[in-house]
């Protein structure tokens, strides 16, 4: 380390460590290694702050693109579920299924679909043209998921080879890749639950397990938030904010708000999995009551929270209202505090999105869950999570300095 400082010069060494405290760059990519194992720079130009900043920006843009791809997958998944297309493809292949091209191939695929509960109990009158539509929706969703893997893997390999990643970043990259793989496997595991022969009665509604649906959505949200958070760490300049103990409560509230946004979205997956949005289509009351009488109809009681459509919708309402209330509190407190413009913009943005999201939720409920409004509501939850992650990043360096 002493030899390295001598080679760089103390001022340059201190400057680099101040500007890149997290060791974003693996400095072997810009250092030449001598036989004695000490890294020395080729020239000072090779390790200029501008060069390192450009490297950081490239990785940040790539990660932001990955988060955008995941956002698209969630939106497509919502539309696929709302159009009841998810069970149209009854097989899964690692390298991807082939899209039927000829009339014979389409008819063969349709015959496979006819062997499973959704067709037998629900879609006996479905025509081949109707099947083509739902098959195409599910096919696009699956291929988009595979495109995420390619969009992530190829640049990751390039950046890794070029030495753009520190040890910490390499761990994150491996974690991201693992999450992408798990997300794909969970997607098929979810679909498989709707293809099982557990729907025997003519009144049964073939659907995927709400537990697997919630798990699938949770993994997508975690992957999206991880990509977005890491990209913002690379793209947004850090601001060390000094404030009072009252302002520090904003930081805690922002973290709680982000957690509530996530929980509300996952509760929405249970609403979708049980078609609970069609149980009570009134607001603010549920029918004639504030608390429905059948809210604890199942035994044991704990089953109601994940298997009783009434309870599931009630919980989603309560979580949504609570999240909206906390974000409104954040906005009111921020108005009285001296904060940087970018931080205030983040608070104003998340507050506006919370109002839009609540409006979308109520509209979806009152109009009996049409595809357009329901898809917008699901995408809105991801936008709300995005702004919550952004706000946490802005408040990350908020420090309390006693007067």
């Amino acid at each position: 380390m002493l030899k390295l400082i001598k080679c760089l010069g103390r001022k340059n060494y201190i400057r680099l460590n101040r500007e890149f405290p997290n060791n974003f760059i693996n400095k072997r990519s810009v250092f030449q290694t001598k036989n004695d194992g000490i890294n020395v720079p080729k020239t000072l130009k090779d390790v200029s702050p501008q060069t390192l900043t450009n490297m950081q920006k490239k990785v940040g843009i790539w990660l932001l693109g990955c988060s955008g791809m995941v956002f698209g997958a969630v939106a497509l998944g919502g539309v696929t579920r709302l159009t009841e297309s998810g069970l149209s493809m009854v097989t899964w292949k690692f390298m991807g299924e082939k899209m039927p091209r000829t009339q014979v191939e389409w008819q063969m695929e349709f015959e496979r679909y006819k062997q499973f509960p959704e067709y037998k109990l629900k879609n006996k009158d479905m025509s081949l043209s109707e099947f083509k539509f739902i098959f195409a929706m599910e096919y696009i969703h699956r291929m988009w998921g595979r495109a995420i893997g390619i969009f992530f893997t190829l640049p990751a390999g390039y950046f890794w080879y070029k030495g753009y990643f520190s040890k910490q970043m390499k761990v994150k990259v491996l974690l991201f890749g693992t999450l992408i793989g798990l997300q794909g496997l969970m997607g098929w595991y979810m679909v498989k639950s709707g293809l099982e022969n557990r729907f025997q009665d003519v009144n049964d509604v073939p659907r995927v397990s709400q537990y697997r649906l919630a798990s699938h959505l949770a993994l997508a949200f975690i992957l999206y938030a991880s990509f977005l958070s890491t990209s913002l760490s690379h793209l947004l300049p850090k601001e060390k904010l000094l404030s009072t103990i009252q302002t520090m409560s904003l930081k805690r509230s922002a973290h709680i708000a982000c957690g509530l946004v996530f929980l509300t979205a996952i509760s929405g997956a249970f609403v979708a999995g049980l078609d609970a949005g069609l149980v009570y289509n009134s607001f603010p009351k549920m029918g004639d009551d504030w608390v429905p009488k059948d809210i604890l109809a199942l035994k044991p009681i704990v089953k109601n929270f994940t298997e009783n459509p009434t309870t599931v919708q009630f919980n989603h309402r309560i979580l949504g209202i609570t999240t909206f209330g906390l974000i409104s509190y954040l906005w009111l407190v921020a108005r009285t505090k001296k904060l940087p413009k970018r931080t205030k913009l983040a608070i104003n943005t998340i507050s506006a999105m919370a109002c839009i999201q609540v409006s979308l939720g109520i509209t979806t409920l009152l109009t009996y869950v049409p595809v357009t409004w329901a898809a917008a509501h699901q995408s809105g939850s991801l936008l709300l999570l995005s702004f919550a992650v952004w706000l946490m990043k802005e408040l990350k360096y908020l420090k309390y300095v006693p007067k």
Side-chain angles (χ1 to χ4, degrees):
M1 181 60 71
L2 291 176
K3 290 183 179 181
L4 176 60
I5 294 174
K6 288 179 182 179
C7 292
L8 283 173
R10 181 173 294 276
K11 289 184 178 179
N12 286 310
Y13 179 81
I14 294 173
R15 182 189 64 189
L16 289 174
N17 277 279
R18 281 179 178 173
E19 296 192 17
F20 303 97
N22 294 325
N23 288 326
F24 162 73
I25 302 297
N26 179 354
K27 295 183 175 57
R28 288 185 180 275
S29 62
V30 290
F31 286 103
Q32 182 179 19
T33 304
K34 279 189 171 182
N35 292 333
D36 59 2
I38 299 298
N39 291 332
V40 292
K42 296 174 182 178
T43 65
L44 287 177
K45 183 180 179 181
D46 292 328
V47 290
S48 67
Q50 185 62 43
T51 300
L52 297 178
T53 300
N54 289 338
M55 289 175 157
Q56 187 175 16
K57 186 177 180 181
K58 288 179 182 179
V59 174
I61 292 173
W62 162 62
L63 291 170
L64 190 61
C66 289
S67 68
M69 291 288 287
V70 176
F71 188 102
V74 173
L76 278 171
V79 175
T80 301
R81 178 186 57 77
L82 290 164
T83 55
E84 299 182 340
S85 305
L87 299 178
S88 58
M89 296 179 69
V90 297
T91 59
W92 186 86
K93 297 178 182 177
F94 179 75
M95 298 303 294
E97 298 80 1
K98 179 183 176 183
M99 184 76 170
R101 298 183 181 278
T102 66
Q103 190 70 8
V104 174
E105 290 178 346
W106 274 114
Q107 192 62 50
M108 289 175 62
E109 199 64 51
F110 193 27
E111 291 301 321
R112 288 194 193 97
Y113 174 68
K114 289 180 178 180
Q115 306 304 312
F116 290 87
E118 185 175 69
Y119 176 83
K120 293 178 179 179
L121 298 177
K122 186 178 179 182
N123 292 334
K124 281 188 176 182
D125 297 327
M126 176 175 280
S127 65
L128 180 60
S129 61
E130 291 172 327
F131 172 73
K132 286 181 179 181
F133 171 76
I134 64 172
F135 186 94
M137 290 298 303
E138 175 65 7
Y139 181 82
I140 292 170
H141 180 52
R142 291 195 189 188
M143 295 310 293
W144 188 278
R146 291 183 173 93
I148 293 174
I150 296 172
F151 190 89
F152 169 80
T153 304
L154 295 182
Y158 172 81
F159 291 135
W160 193 303
Y161 176 75
K162 288 293 185 179
Y164 280 42
F165 298 145
S166 66
K167 288 183 179 180
Q168 294 89 339
M169 190 59 193
K170 285 180 178 179
V171 172
K172 287 186 177 181
V173 168
L174 291 174
L175 181 60
F176 292 153
T178 302
L179 283 173
I180 291 173
L182 288 175
Q183 176 69 356
L185 292 173
M186 179 55 72
W188 170 243
Y189 185 57
M190 175 189 70
V191 170
K192 193 176 178 181
S193 67
L195 301 175
E196 296 169 351
N197 291 320
R198 59 191 178 95
F199 309 99
Q200 304 296 335
D201 191 272
V202 292
N203 295 317
D204 284 344
V205 179
R207 57 161 65 101
V208 299
S209 164
Q210 69 270 29
Y211 298 103
R212 299 185 194 183
L213 175 62
S215 300
H216 186 53
L217 186 67
L219 279 174
F221 271 55
I222 292 170
L223 182 61
Y224 172 79
S226 301
F227 274 138
L228 181 62
S229 177
T230 310
S231 69
L232 292 179
S233 296
H234 290 79
L235 295 174
L236 291 181
K238 300 175 178 63
E239 295 179 329
K240 291 188 177 180
L241 312 176
L242 304 180
S243 190
T244 63
I245 193 168
Q246 288 82 10
T247 309
M248 287 295 291
S249 66
L250 284 174
K251 191 174 182 179
R252 292 189 292 271
S253 298
H255 281 78
I256 296 172
C258 188
L260 281 173
V261 170
F262 179 81
L263 287 176
T264 305
I266 302 310
S267 74
F270 282 95
V271 172
L274 293 171
D275 289 328
L278 299 173
V279 178
Y280 288 95
N281 297 94
S282 58
F283 189 86
K285 289 185 176 182
M286 297 178 72
D288 297 325
D289 303 307
W290 290 102
V291 180
K293 296 181 176 60
D294 57 338
I295 195 170
L296 297 177
L298 301 182
K299 302 296 179 182
I301 291 177
V302 69
K303 289 181 63 177
N304 290 279
F305 296 96
T306 54
E307 298 183 19
N308 184 340
T310 298
T311 313
V312 167
Q313 188 192 122
F314 180 81
N315 290 342
H316 187 60
R317 290 186 183 213
I318 295 301
L319 283 170
I321 293 169
T322 304
T323 303
F324 177 74
L326 180 58
I327 293 174
S328 300
Y329 164 78
L330 271 170
W331 181 77
L332 290 172
V333 171
R335 292 187 64 190
T336 65
K337 305 301 177 185
K338 186 176 180 180
L339 296 169
K341 289 183 179 180
R342 207 171 66 193
T343 305
K344 284 197 171 183
L345 177 61
I347 292 175
N348 289 335
T349 304
I350 191 176
S351 301
M353 189 62 227
C355 294
I356 293 172
Q357 180 66 353
V358 169
S359 299
L360 286 172
I362 295 172
T363 303
T364 301
L365 186 69
L366 297 180
T367 54
Y368 293 85
V369 198
V371 173
T372 304
W373 287 113
H377 184 52
Q378 178 169 304
S379 297
S381 66
L382 203 52
L383 280 174
L384 193 60
L385 181 66
S386 305
F387 298 136
V389 170
W390 176 28
L391 179 58
M392 286 198 303
K393 281 294 176 184
E394 294 296 345
L395 296 174
K396 181 177 180 180
Y397 296 96
L398 190 66
K399 303 293 182 184
Y400 170 57
V401 177
K403 295 181 179 179

